[in-house]
Amino acid sequence: GHFPSDEAMFKLLYLVILNIQSVLRSSNLDFLIRSPEIPGSEADIGTKSNISRQLRAALENGEEAGTIELFSPADNTRRISSFLHVTPYPLVIIAGFAFGEILRPWYMELYCVCAGFLCIVVLTGLAARRIASDSAQQIHHQNEMRAKKQAEQLNALLMQDLETSLGELRQKDQILISQSRQAAMGEMISNIAHQWRQPLNVLSLLLTNLELTFHDNNLTVEYFDKTLASVGKLIQKMSSTIDDFRNFYREDKTKEPFSALKNITRTVELIESAFKNNGITISIEAGEDCIMFGFPNEYSQVLLNLLGNAKEAILGTGTASGHVSITCEKRDDMGIVTVRDNGGGIPADILGRVFEPYFTTKDQGTGIGLYMSKMIIENHMGGRIEARNLTDGCEFSISIPLEENRRGQ
């Protein structure tokens, strides 16, 4: 017949509102009510079932309140529970939190902290990766810019060196061309002198005879006219010689077909007198003519250079019966002209260097004749020039593409 006070009722309602597992027992520990309800527990009302020995001992010892560990068989849950003896009423309130419920807020907080920490780690990793990527890209870009700048500097230096080298090569080429022209001019003057020597001797004899005939009073109009005509022919021949040499050294502008035999004959006529004066004979042995394609005047200059070298080799060795032979033939779509002499040949240790610029074995040589000949034949005409030793001399062979082969292509 006694009911709890307002304060006790407030405590009960507070526990129920918090949804804390609460049990209300009488002072003799009879089970009255549980909140929240557990299905099947209504059968225990009015009984002393499921009372923990620790709780019973505490109440029997007159403890008004306390906290103990309880196990509830009703839901098989172990709880940390607090009890309160509501005096002076015969009621005992038992309320507790299961271990999982006690730790749940801590777990939630731990989970939140861990999740936050994980997010921070992930975000930090992503940020670090982005920073590293940006840094790597920046370093790569800087390296590319540095490499590009170095490449540009290296390219500029190479271009400068190339221009310097090209300038030096052009200067050397100009020197070679100048020296070659000077050597050719000297050769031309020497050959003109040999060509003019005989006509000048004849002209001198005619004038001497004319003078003697005049002083002896034997000069007639017929003899005077005949002598004058002979003098005119000699002068005309000398003038023709100058034209021949001038045309011979005229620069070719374009490639054209030309007769190898006519070219050889024309070249030999220009220097034959000089060879005869030194006791050297020249023979042309051509089975058939070859129509070549190239620069005829430059080709003649190469022949003239080879013939001049042959003459100097014969004179240098003191060969008694100096002889130079020139042959012409077709072979493998090429026209091949060979110049052979009996001047003793070229020493074997220098045979491979005769076409190098400025290489010479002559005391007064320039070392550019054979080099320029090789440039003309191989670079200007697409042919080749080779040298080899014979038993008593040397042989130079010149190969030039045939005109018929060019048309066939």
Side-chain angles (χ1 to χ4, degrees):
H2 297 284
F3 294 96
S5 66
D6 292 339
E7 182 180 358
M9 289 299 296
F10 177 75
K11 291 179 180 179
L12 285 173
L13 290 174
Y14 178 71
L15 294 173
V16 172
I17 291 172
L18 289 178
N19 200 27
I20 298 173
Q21 185 65 44
S22 305
V23 176
L24 179 64
R25 289 181 181 271
S26 63
S27 58
N28 60 358
L29 299 180
D30 291 336
F31 177 72
L32 299 179
I33 191 172
R34 177 184 284 113
S35 178
E37 287 288 342
I38 297 176
S41 63
E42 61 273 7
D44 296 330
I45 297 175
T47 67
K48 293 182 174 61
S49 62
N50 300 329
I51 300 174
S52 173
R53 287 178 296 176
Q54 295 91 333
L55 176 61
R56 185 188 301 273
L59 292 174
E60 290 176 353
N61 292 332
E63 295 182 13
E64 296 292 334
T67 300
I68 58 176
E69 180 181 341
L70 297 178
F71 175 76
S72 173
D75 57 0
N76 296 320
T77 301
R78 188 176 295 279
R79 294 181 176 85
I80 297 297
S81 301
S82 296
F83 65 89
L84 174 64
H85 189 189
V86 183
T87 56
Y89 306 103
L91 296 174
V92 177
I93 300 173
I94 306 165
F97 281 105
F99 284 99
E101 293 174 347
I102 295 173
L103 295 176
R104 186 179 293 114
W106 183 83
Y107 284 146
M108 291 300 297
E109 183 178 355
L110 180 61
Y111 292 154
C112 292
V113 171
C114 290
F117 180 74
L118 182 61
C119 291
I120 293 173
V121 170
V122 172
L123 292 176
T124 303
L126 292 175
R129 186 174 180 180
R130 181 61 181 271
I131 292 172
S133 177
D134 292 344
S135 178
Q137 290 181 357
Q138 184 177 4
I139 293 174
H140 180 68
H141 179 68
Q142 291 176 351
N143 290 336
E144 284 185 345
M145 294 300 294
R146 189 181 299 109
K148 183 178 180 181
K149 185 176 181 181
Q150 291 175 352
E152 290 176 351
Q153 292 176 349
L154 180 60
N155 186 47
L157 291 175
L158 290 176
M159 290 299 296
Q160 184 178 356
D161 292 342
L162 180 60
E163 291 178 358
T164 302
S165 299
L166 288 176
E168 292 176 354
L169 287 176
R170 292 191 191 100
Q171 185 177 3
K172 290 180 179 179
D173 287 343
Q174 291 298 324
I175 293 173
L176 282 175
I177 293 171
S178 177
Q179 291 177 345
S180 178
R181 288 177 178 174
Q182 290 174 3
M185 186 177 296
E187 190 73 21
M188 180 183 67
I189 293 173
S190 175
N191 288 319
I192 290 176
H194 284 294
Q195 290 289 83
W196 277 11
R197 183 172 286 110
Q198 184 179 0
L200 285 173
N201 288 335
V202 175
L203 183 60
S204 177
L205 289 174
L206 288 174
L207 292 176
T208 300
N209 289 336
L210 186 63
E211 182 183 10
L212 292 174
T213 304
F214 175 76
H215 287 300
D216 291 341
N217 296 320
N218 293 326
L219 182 62
T220 63
V221 174
E222 181 182 0
Y223 181 77
F224 180 80
D225 290 339
K226 182 180 179 181
T227 303
L228 190 62
S230 298
V231 169
K233 288 180 180 179
L234 289 172
I235 294 175
Q236 183 63 35
K237 183 178 180 180
M238 295 171 67
S239 177
S240 176
T241 299
I242 294 177
D243 290 338
D244 290 341
F245 277 99
R246 184 181 62 185
N247 293 332
F248 179 81
Y249 286 99
R250 185 181 68 246
E251 182 180 0
D252 291 316
K253 299 298 182 181
T254 56
K255 288 184 177 181
E256 59 183 64
F258 64 92
S259 167
L261 185 57
K262 289 182 180 180
N263 194 287
I264 294 170
T265 303
R266 182 173 67 117
T267 304
V268 169
E269 288 176 351
L270 293 175
I271 50 92
E272 191 172 18
S273 296
F275 274 62
K276 286 182 178 180
N277 288 338
N278 290 282
I280 303 173
T281 59
I282 303 178
S283 63
I284 301 175
E285 304 167 6
E288 60 177 326
D289 193 9
C290 299
I291 305 302
M292 301 180 177
F293 186 75
F295 301 105
N297 281 345
E298 291 187 2
Y299 188 81
S300 296
Q301 292 175 28
V302 173
L303 287 177
L304 183 64
N305 183 60
L306 296 180
L307 291 171
N309 288 344
K311 183 188 73 173
E312 292 181 6
I314 292 171
L315 295 177
T317 56
T319 304
S321 300
H323 179 71
V324 177
S325 65
I326 305 173
T327 62
C328 178
E329 62 177 334
K330 295 180 181 179
R331 190 193 309 158
D332 298 331
D333 299 328
M334 302 287 280
I336 302 175
V337 173
T338 59
V339 178
R340 301 184 181 93
D341 64 68
N342 58 350
I346 303 171
D349 58 334
I350 65 171
L351 182 62
R353 301 185 59 193
V354 294
F355 293 108
E356 295 180 5
Y358 300 109
F359 179 79
T360 180
T361 58
K362 305 173 186 177
D363 295 336
Q364 302 297 326
T366 61
I368 60 173
L370 289 177
Y371 171 73
M372 292 301 295
S373 297
K374 186 177 181 68
M375 295 286 290
I376 290 171
I377 296 301
E378 297 187 357
N379 292 359
H380 295 184
M381 300 192 193
R384 65 180 182 272
I385 181 170
E386 299 172 328
R388 70 185 185 94
N389 281 323
L390 303 175
T391 303
D392 59 349
C394 180
E395 176 188 275
F396 283 86
S397 64
I398 309 170
S399 303
I400 297 295
L402 293 171
E403 165 65 11
E404 60 188 35
N405 183 47
R406 185 186 73 90
R407 288 200 304 266
Q409 294 177 349

